[in-house]
């Protein structure tokens, strides 16, 4: 089965959950009534997302919060978004440095339908964008994994995609990996800043010798130069790097993936746009039913090498 088909098959059971999107938004943190999992592929405990999002966010003095929100001080008139760079098919910059991706497409269509403006800036480093999200300076991240810590501070939409976390190796130095425990006593790397979900983040911290690399889309150079034994990346993030750098003969992708992470929009609790999440959830379900999500995904998948 081709990698595109695998991605599409992985998407459907995540998005088509047994949910009923709320018809109206609540003034306070709304409950969207969904449940998703950050599930290791092998027999490892699952970290489940709790029902709803009822924990308080990061609270700032009203004067500070209103000043940060600007035109969104009292109502959502502009949806300000950021996200990860180079995360095909979710969020990335094209050759002209224009924001593209499945997450961007969904927000564009949703904003147009809702009669609000959309501003997407993927040039903001992830860590800085997360701080801006907490403060209400931006309204939403156009794609993020679920963690318990983030859920206490931010507010998630329904999943709109699924992404596997995969081990990549130097093709000349392959070793067997059937589960995350097989990485113990090996030197690894992963991108700086992001999360791979509660399970992998916690296991890596407690058991793995792994560095957080700031090299971004050059992280696979660490494998080619044999500075590490493996790199942990999202499947399509890694495959896009391989295709862009034409290094498919030097890099080996290990199957099966370590975990499958649902991808969701992550909203600031300081933003009035959070009230629109129930409407966005209904829109995501509608897109899936119409086959529009599949079309969007296929439009943004990179030219993947066969290995």
């Amino acid at each position: 089965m081709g990698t595109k088909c695998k991605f599409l098959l992985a998407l459907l059971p995540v998005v088509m959950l047994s949910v009923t999107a709320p018809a109206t938004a609540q003034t306070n943190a709304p409950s969207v009534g969904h449940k998703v999992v950050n599930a290791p592929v092998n027999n490892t405990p699952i970290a489940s997302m709790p029902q709803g999002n009822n924990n308080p966010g990061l609270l700032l003095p009203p004067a500070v919060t209103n000043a940060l929100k600007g035109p969104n001080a009292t109502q959502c008139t502009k949806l300000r978004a950021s996200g990860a760079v180079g995360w095909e098919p979710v969020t990335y910059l094209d050759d002209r440095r224009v924001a593209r991706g499945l997450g961007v497409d969904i927000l564009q269509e949703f904003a147009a339908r809702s009669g609000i403006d959309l501003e997407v800036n993927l040039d903001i480093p992830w860590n800085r964008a997360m701080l801006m999200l907490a403060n209400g300076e931006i309204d939403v991240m156009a794609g993020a994994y679920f963690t318990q810590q983030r859920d206490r501070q931010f507010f998630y939409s329904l999943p709109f995609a699924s992404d596997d976390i995969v081990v990549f190796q130097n093709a000349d130095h392959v070793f067997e990996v059937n589960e995350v425990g097989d990485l113990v006593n090996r030197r690894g790397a992963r991108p700086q800043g992001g999360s791979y979900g509660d399970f992998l983040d916690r296991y890596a911290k407690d058991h793995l010798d792994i560095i957080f690399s700031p090299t971004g889309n050059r992280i696979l150079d660490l494998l080619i130069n044999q500075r590490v034994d493996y790199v942990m990346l999202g499947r399509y993030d890694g495959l896009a790097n391989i295709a862009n750098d034409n290094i498919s003969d030097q890099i080996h992708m290990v199957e099966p993936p370590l975990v499958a992470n649902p991808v969701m929009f992550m909203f600031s609790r300081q933003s009035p746009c959070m009230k629109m999440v129930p409407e966005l959830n209904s829109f995501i379900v509608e897109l899936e039913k119409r086959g529009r999500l599949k079309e969007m995904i296929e439009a943004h998948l990179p030219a993947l090498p066969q290995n």
Side-chain angles (χ1 to χ4, degrees):
M1 182 182 294
T3 49
K4 287 189 179 182
C5 293
K6 290 181 181 178
F7 184 88
L8 297 175
L9 289 175
L11 168 68
L12 295 179
V14 175
V15 175
M16 290 304 295
L17 301 167
S18 297
V19 299
T20 301
T24 59
Q26 301 293 326
T27 301
N28 296 319
S31 174
V32 297
H34 63 282
K35 184 176 183 180
V36 299
V37 294
N38 172 357
V41 172
N42 299 292
N43 297 323
T44 317
I46 291 174
S48 295
M49 175 183 285
Q51 294 287 344
N53 291 255
N54 299 313
N55 298 303
L58 177 64
L59 299 179
L60 298 174
V64 175
T65 302
N66 289 338
L68 290 173
K69 289 174 181 174
N72 276 350
T74 58
Q75 60 182 338
C76 183
T77 59
K78 175 188 288 186
L79 192 57
R80 300 159 299 178
S82 188
V85 177
W87 188 11
E88 292 94 339
V90 181
T91 49
Y92 63 96
L93 294 173
D94 66 14
D95 294 338
R96 297 176 298 164
R97 299 198 63 79
V98 175
R100 304 290 186 190
L102 173 62
V104 176
D105 284 353
I106 294 173
L107 290 181
Q108 285 176 336
E109 292 195 13
F110 176 72
R113 168 183 287 199
S114 303
I116 59 177
D117 294 329
L118 175 66
E119 178 182 288
V120 183
N121 185 352
L122 300 184
D123 287 317
I124 306 172
W126 178 269
N127 287 345
R128 185 188 304 168
M130 289 290 284
L131 291 175
M132 294 174 69
L133 190 71
N135 292 333
E137 296 175 80
I138 57 177
D139 303 298
V140 60
M141 298 296 272
Y145 299 145
F146 174 83
T147 71
Q148 297 286 348
Q149 180 179 359
R150 288 176 178 177
D151 189 46
R152 289 190 290 269
Q153 191 171 10
F154 305 112
F155 189 80
Y156 285 98
S157 74
L158 286 179
F160 61 88
S162 180
D163 192 23
D164 294 339
I165 306 303
V166 178
V167 167
F168 291 86
Q169 301 173 345
N170 186 310
D172 294 329
H173 300 277
V174 172
F175 58 95
E176 186 173 1
V177 179
N178 294 309
E179 59 182 22
V180 67
D182 294 329
L183 300 177
V184 175
N185 299 323
R186 302 278 186 174
R187 179 76 164 167
R190 56 180 285 186
Q192 187 176 51
S195 168
Y196 284 160
D198 285 324
F199 169 75
L200 272 186
D201 289 351
R202 184 166 52 249
Y203 192 93
K205 179 180 179 181
D206 293 343
H207 303 289
L208 299 184
D209 178 13
I210 192 166
I211 62 173
F212 288 83
S213 171
T215 55
N217 59 4
R218 303 301 308 181
I219 192 171
L220 294 179
D221 288 351
L222 297 175
L223 281 178
I224 295 173
N225 298 329
Q226 299 185 39
R227 293 182 55 192
V228 297
D229 300 311
Y230 68 91
V231 168
M232 192 183 294
L233 278 176
R235 178 188 298 275
Y236 290 94
D237 193 2
L239 288 175
N241 290 343
I242 290 172
N244 292 336
D245 297 337
N246 194 27
I247 53 173
S248 60
D249 60 333
Q250 300 178 66
I251 303 296
H252 171 69
M253 184 177 72
V254 178
E255 297 286 7
L258 298 176
V259 300
N261 278 325
V263 181
M264 294 157 277
F265 295 109
M266 187 167 63
F267 279 76
S268 170
R269 290 182 181 270
Q270 308 306 316
S271 167
C273 297
M274 189 187 77
K275 299 176 185 178
M276 303 187 73
V277 172
E279 298 173 39
L280 178 59
N281 288 339
S282 296
F283 184 61
I284 291 170
V285 173
E286 177 189 329
L287 289 174
E288 197 284 329
K289 288 181 178 179
R290 291 195 287 117
R292 181 74 179 120
L293 274 183
K294 179 180 178 180
E295 294 174 358
M296 290 178 174
I297 291 169
E298 290 178 336
H300 294 292
L301 284 175
L304 304 179
Q306 300 296 318
N307 64 337

